[in-house]
Amino acid sequence: MPFSKLGLSDPLLRAIADAGYTSPSPIQSQAIPAVLQGHDLLAAAQTGTGKTAGFTLPLLHRLSQQSFSANRPIRVLILTPTRELAAQVGESVNKYGAHLHPRLKTEVVFGGVKINPQMMRLRGGVDVLVATPGRLLDLASQNAVKLDKVETLVLDEADRMLDMGFIRDIRKIIALLPKKRQNLLFSATFSEEIRKLTTGLLVNPVKIEVAPRNTAAETVEQIAYLCNKADKSALLCHLVKSNDWQQVLVFTSTKHGANRLTEKLNKVDIKAAAIHGNKSQGARTSALSGFKSGEIRVLVATDVAARGIDIALLPHVVNFELPRAPADYVHRIGRTGRAGEEGQAISLVSHDELSALRVIEKLTGKPIRREQVAGFEASATAPAVVPEAPRTPPPGRRPQQARKPSGASGHRPRSGNHA
Ligand code: AMP
């Protein structure tokens, strides 16, 4: 079904055309009519499925059909786990609402930055508020935000919010909302905790499930370049230059590793920037926007920092080191090959990582092609060239972990990405 048949107004259809979307993604064709009709929604969908437009478009449609009251109370509240995701959702709301008349007012609030400017911006009234839970509660406790006119609550990446310990904050926020409202919940996984939350929250929800990324990784070409650890930086520089890659997201396992690699890339004139937890919000935002605009060619990120980053149709993702948790591999490569486009996921694998590579293959059920690059071969004496199937799981990696659904990240540390 084309976008034009989903019941969205012309200004929204124009914004969709501006974005270059030709047809709705599966989640959009199911979510848009349901949200337009005012139903609650329970959607199993990860980043990359087009979920943001799936809830933003119909909510903007509904808001723009109503008249404005003078003080512009918050009518749509969107909660997200991280500031990056909050900022991106805010951008989407503005992008899709660009042709609406009158323009809707959107604000984004998150922790880690000064609260006063946010209070000032909220004073004039906003229609749509995108927030991380901690900062929203801070604002509410200082009477800087009123939530008693909220008509729709969206919980985006609900599983991550629970992973990050936000359940009590979410419950406190819900207590501040009118009893009668529309609720939309998006989550990649459905743990017992999520089920508990949805039971009290959603009323006869429309249930939507789209293929999890574990299986959607079909469109991603996966290659492991076997090499020596010491050659990884040089190999990455070689790959970027010889293939003329213009936009590469590289994952490293540590913040220091990310900084070191960034320096090395910049030294050989490959414009690179790092994002990780030690970087200021300003530095992260500018690195991300530089990367999106093409000014920065290589973005080096740690897993935590990269969560929720939305970069459309990223052609190349590189694992400079394999992730410690195999499910993170699926998350990482989920950043390429979006919306049915082809993508390439490259892993630089030294011999000590071969067993981790096998655990990942078990999880995804797909063999990863092993190759070597001339001049950067794994040295003949290292076991990297003739990989042996490990009889026992590698130390510290329990086999059950490999079977965890993606996103079931109870093992992750509580992130500091919020207030
Ligand atoms: P999301 O899952 O909301 O993070 O969206 C993932 C990416 O897909 C975003 O970069 C969107 O711009 C893009 N996208 C969303 N809807 C469509 C569509 N119908 N066709 C093509 N790309 C889309």
Side-chain angles (χ1 to χ4, degrees):
M1 191 186 284
F3 271 113
S4 57
K5 293 274 162 61
L6 293 177
L8 296 168
S9 63
D10 279 344
L12 294 171
L13 292 175
R14 270 171 59 210
I16 291 168
D18 289 352
Y21 309 158
T22 45
S23 55
S25 70
I27 188 144
Q28 290 164 358
S29 38
Q30 297 175 69
I32 292 170
V35 177
L36 282 177
Q37 286 163 25
H39 291 294
D40 277 9
L41 198 68
L42 177 60
Q46 293 188 351
T47 301
T49 51
K51 65 181 166 69
T52 316
F55 65 79
T56 305
L57 288 165
L59 289 178
L60 289 176
H61 178 100
R62 295 188 63 189
L63 286 178
S64 64
Q65 304 288 309
Q66 301 167 3
S67 54
F68 291 96
S69 61
N71 58 353
R72 306 285 283 254
I74 296 163
R75 288 180 288 159
V76 169
L77 174 65
I78 304 170
L79 296 181
T80 73
T82 62
R83 33 188 163 177
E84 277 82 10
L85 188 61
Q88 282 158 20
V89 171
E91 273 172 32
S92 295
V93 176
N94 284 323
K95 178 169 84 174
Y96 300 131
H99 300 300
L100 292 174
H101 268 294
R103 285 289 296 263
L104 292 167
K105 284 183 24 187
T106 306
E107 277 303 339
V108 180
V109 294
F110 44 69
V113 293
K114 285 197 189 117
I115 198 166
N116 281 5
Q118 295 179 348
M119 292 170 135
M120 299 293 283
R121 291 205 306 271
L122 290 170
R123 240 174 236 173
V126 297
D127 305 296
V128 180
L129 182 66
V130 189
T132 52
R135 177 52 58 97
L136 181 63
L137 278 180
D138 288 347
L139 286 161
S141 70
Q142 299 189 46
N143 279 330
V145 70
K146 280 216 169 60
L147 302 173
D148 58 344
K149 295 283 189 295
V150 169
E151 294 165 8
T152 304
L153 169 70
V154 181
L155 299 179
D156 196 8
E157 303 206 351
D159 50 347
R160 293 226 187 282
M161 285 200 273
L162 297 196
D163 279 355
M164 289 166 70
F166 279 137
I167 184 67
R168 287 183 59 201
D169 288 354
I170 291 173
R171 291 202 186 280
K172 280 187 204 159
I173 291 166
I174 290 173
L176 300 174
L177 305 177
K179 293 258 172 317
K180 195 169 171 304
R181 51 166 205 273
Q182 182 182 32
N183 302 288
L184 315 179
L185 184 141
F186 292 80
S187 186
T189 56
F190 286 89
S191 61
E192 196 45 43
E193 224 182 347
I194 289 274
R195 262 183 262 277
K196 257 193 236 156
L197 175 68
T198 57
T199 315
L201 183 74
L202 306 175
V203 183
N204 293 330
V206 171
K207 292 185 181 151
I208 299 178
E209 208 168 322
V210 296
R213 294 300 300 189
N214 299 32
T215 54
E218 312 289 85
T219 55
V220 179
E221 183 188 23
Q222 302 178 58
I223 306 171
Y225 286 120
L226 306 180
C227 62
N228 294 328
K229 210 179 216 69
D231 297 336
K232 282 189 176 185
S233 309
L235 173 55
L236 178 67
C237 295
H238 170 79
L239 289 170
V240 171
K241 286 195 165 171
S242 62
N243 294 305
D244 199 24
W245 289 342
Q246 293 303 325
Q247 204 186 33
V248 197
L249 178 61
V250 178
F251 286 94
T252 59
S253 44
T254 66
K255 297 168 195 170
H256 290 306
N259 289 341
R260 270 199 306 269
L261 180 60
T262 306
E263 273 169 32
K264 282 184 187 159
L265 288 161
N266 280 317
K267 255 189 205 142
V268 294
D269 289 329
I270 298 173
K271 194 99 170 55
I275 56 164
H276 53 64
N278 286 1
K279 296 265 173 186
S280 70
Q281 182 57 28
R284 290 208 247 177
T285 311
S286 88
L288 193 59
S289 68
F291 186 58
K292 282 185 175 181
S293 70
E295 192 191 313
I296 286 166
R297 211 164 150 188
V298 181
L299 188 67
V300 186
T302 55
D303 286 293
V304 172
R307 250 185 237 173
I309 286 184
D310 161 39
I311 302 140
L313 313 179
L314 200 54
H316 310 284
V317 168
V318 174
N319 295 303
F320 194 75
E321 283 114 12
L322 288 177
R324 273 175 222 124
D328 280 342
Y329 178 86
V330 179
H331 281 300
R332 289 180 179 188
I333 73 164
R335 317 214 157 264
T336 180
R338 294 203 158 163
E341 293 286 312
E342 300 241 318
Q344 222 183 23
I346 308 269
S347 301
L348 308 188
V349 180
S350 50
H351 68 268
D352 55 311
E353 293 174 299
L354 278 170
S355 45
L357 186 66
R358 291 186 165 277
V359 177
I360 288 166
E361 287 176 313
K362 245 192 201 161
L363 172 73
T364 60
K366 216 181 153 189
I368 299 171
R369 199 165 81 233
R370 285 136 171 90
E371 288 186 11
Q372 303 210 46
V373 178
F376 299 92
E377 295 91 345
S379 52
T381 49
V385 204
V386 248
E388 285 276 334
R391 278 161 198 278
T392 47
R397 272 173 232 275
R398 290 178 298 123
Q400 298 92 297
Q401 205 176 352
R403 284 197 294 273
K404 258 188 184 176
S406 78
S409 42
H411 57 277
R412 284 206 185 95
R414 194 185 148 104
S415 157
N417 279 0
H418 49 85

